[in-house]
Amino acid sequence: MEPVHIIGGGLAGSEAAWQIAEAGVPVVIHEMRPVRGTEAHKTEGLAELVCSNSFRSDDSESNAVGQLHWEMRRLGSLIMAKGDAHQVPAGGALAVDRDGFSQGVTAALEAHPLVTIDRGEIAGLPPAEWDNVVIATGPLTSPALADGIRSLTGEDSLAFFDAIAPIVHFDSIDMDTAWFQSRYDKAGPGGTGADYINCPLDRDQYEVFIDALLAAEKTEFKEWEGTPYFDGCLPIEVMAERGRETLRWGPMKPVGLTNKHNPTVKAYAVVQLRQDNALGTLFNMTGFQTKLKYGEQSRIFRLIPGLQNAEFARLGGIHRNTYLNSPKLLDDRLRLKADQRLRFAGQITGCEGYVESAATGLLAGRMAAAERLGRDLPLPPATTALGALVNHITGGHIVTIDEGPRSFQPMNINFGLFPHPDQAVTHGPDGKRLKGPAKSVARKQALTARAKVEMDAWANGVEAKAAE
Ligand SMILES: Cc1cc2nc3c(=O)[nH]c(=O)nc-3n(C[C@H](O)[C@H](O)[C@H](O)COP(=O)(O)OP(=O)(O)OC[C@H]3O[C@@H](n4cnc5c(N)ncnc54)[C@H](O)[C@@H]3O)c2cc1C
């Protein structure tokens, strides 16, 4: 049987290779280290963790990444098995001994009879005779391969930096203060004239907000990242440094809007949020890309009227990050529409984080193996964490016309990507009406309980098919 080729032996590539080999299909991992390095990796080990040693929360009942851990364990993930084997104490989080973990993953793959590890860079598009390829080269994909990919996808479809504005859970926005309206009620293509959520600030609130921005702690760029500011993408704190009024003439301009809660008073500034996913559960803060430290972001953005109780699905950031405009370029099997022998996995698809990268590797690996074996692999339901994540990457994110191809920004797994619970969660097991945090926890528990049942059913179905 011809092998599947994987380019990149990081979190995603290692997991994909394991899944392919365990399905009985030969696989070659092409990893450029140590022949050629990246700016962040320090070893030649597979699945090297380049920064933190944490896989985040391991709580599979009320945390979305914990649920993803659960699903990956259920599906025989190598990354989770080695993470568990090399765990270090970290409270409710799963943190690992990074060297032991990477060595464990490398040894398992080296020992597998169907895995070959080939050290060397793939410096351009893969050879035409490779008919089943997984590209998992991560945020620091080598320039020669990135150029090859761009020749297939077009200039704008492969970004080299992300510019992430914070994303807020809709149900945490105070709609007694904020209101829906598009500027000048313009409907635009696909719009209704009431597409944005608007949060009004009076003069005093604006001045307090600007003072907070100017005083806040910022994250520095690493030397090798450079300073990737480009037109239309300045961090808000840099705009504030250029002048106290700059934001009021930029992303916070109050024009074309009437506060429906207080129509006679003109807002001094307005923060707009735009729907981010098809489910309508997530809204991004328009034009609010930022390098503020995470703690500062939560504190300062909650100064904005309407966002005082905001829960953030993800906070803002700007990083060196090579990733595709996946909702446009990939089909629901993670294959490039323009060349279906190429499948993508990991951070380059626009997921974010070690666990998410490994999770997309897991699914891409299973898809590649199924294709080689001539089997059909149904997609995991969108009600599971794995299904919700891949669904967001390949179609769940809304690509807006006015923002162009860059509106898709990398995303962690979070409950905003899951479809609503089948029934509204209003009462606890004791029959009492739920409020505040207890209601939010009960909702999360309903989502993870449903995800477990559906993932189990999906995995059982796939296993039964494979045994036929
Ligand atoms: C500086 C930095 C810090 C990060 N910190 C965190 C963090 O703390 N927590 C977190 O959850 N996420 C973090 N991330 C994000 C992300 O989770 C990691 O980058 C993660 O390793 C992505 O997994 P991956 O498999 O997609 O890519 P990687 O793990 O980077 O694997 C890609 C592999 O492909 C190889 N490669 C690249 N080009 C080629 C080529 N042409 N031919 C052959 N091989 C190639 C690379 O050497 C690398 O081994 C960070 C990212 C960066 C850049």
Side-chain angles (χ1 to χ4, degrees), residues 67-254:
Q67 172 61 27
L68 192 55
H69 291 176
W70 185 96
E71 294 180 15
M72 293 171 72
R73 289 186 180 112
R74 171 69 186 82
L75 298 172
S77 158
L78 175 67
I79 294 299
M80 290 310 298
K82 294 303 168 194
D84 289 337
H86 295 278
Q87 191 168 358
V88 295
L94 173 60
V96 308
D97 170 325
R98 68 179 71 240
D99 293 330
F101 165 75
S102 167
Q103 285 156 15
V105 172
T106 309
L109 288 166
E110 279 173 348
H112 201 295
L114 290 174
V115 178
T116 306
I117 302 170
D118 182 19
R119 300 281 181 169
E121 181 189 5
I122 304 300
L125 286 174
E129 61 272 21
W130 295 3
D131 64 341
N132 188 335
V133 183
V134 178
I135 301 183
T137 42
L140 307 173
T141 295
S142 76
L145 177 58
D147 283 348
I149 296 169
R150 273 209 301 186
S151 70
L152 282 180
T153 60
E155 279 290 300
D156 293 339
S157 289
L158 188 72
F160 292 100
F161 286 91
D162 54 37
I164 300 167
I167 294 178
V168 182
H169 288 280
F170 172 69
D171 54 12
S172 70
I173 301 173
D174 171 13
M175 293 306 291
D176 291 333
T177 302
W179 74 99
F180 272 106
Q181 187 186 7
S182 305
R183 271 186 219 288
Y184 303 107
D185 303 308
K186 273 194 191 147
T192 64
D195 298 324
Y196 288 78
I197 294 176
N198 300 282
C199 298
L201 290 89
D202 64 23
R203 186 175 192 139
D204 288 347
Q205 289 163 334
Y206 180 77
E207 298 297 347
V208 168
F209 179 72
I210 297 296
D211 285 339
L213 272 187
L214 292 174
E217 272 192 89
K218 286 106 194 163
T219 311
E220 298 301 325
F221 283 104
K222 299 193 178 64
E223 210 176 289
W224 51 266
E225 288 185 302
T227 310
Y229 300 148
F230 35 89
D231 277 354
C233 182
L234 283 181
I236 48 165
E237 60 276 12
V238 173
M239 284 193 244
E241 277 162 15
R242 291 187 175 179
R244 296 186 69 87
E245 290 289 293
T246 309
L247 280 167
R248 229 167 68 75
W249 292 97
M252 293 177 75
K253 62 176 176 281

Side-chain angles (χ1 to χ4, degrees), residues 8 10-12 31-33 41 51-52 122 136-139 142 347 353-354:
L11 276 300
E31 167 53 56
M32 69 177 183
R33 290 175 293 122
H41 290 84
C51 187
S52 138
I122 304 300
T137 42
S142 76
Q347 185 106 351
Y354 299 147

Side-chain angles (χ1 to χ4, degrees), residues 414-427:
N414 67 79
F415 284 114
L417 303 185
F418 291 63
H420 289 293
D422 302 327
Q423 286 167 344
V425 183
T426 52
H427 292 79

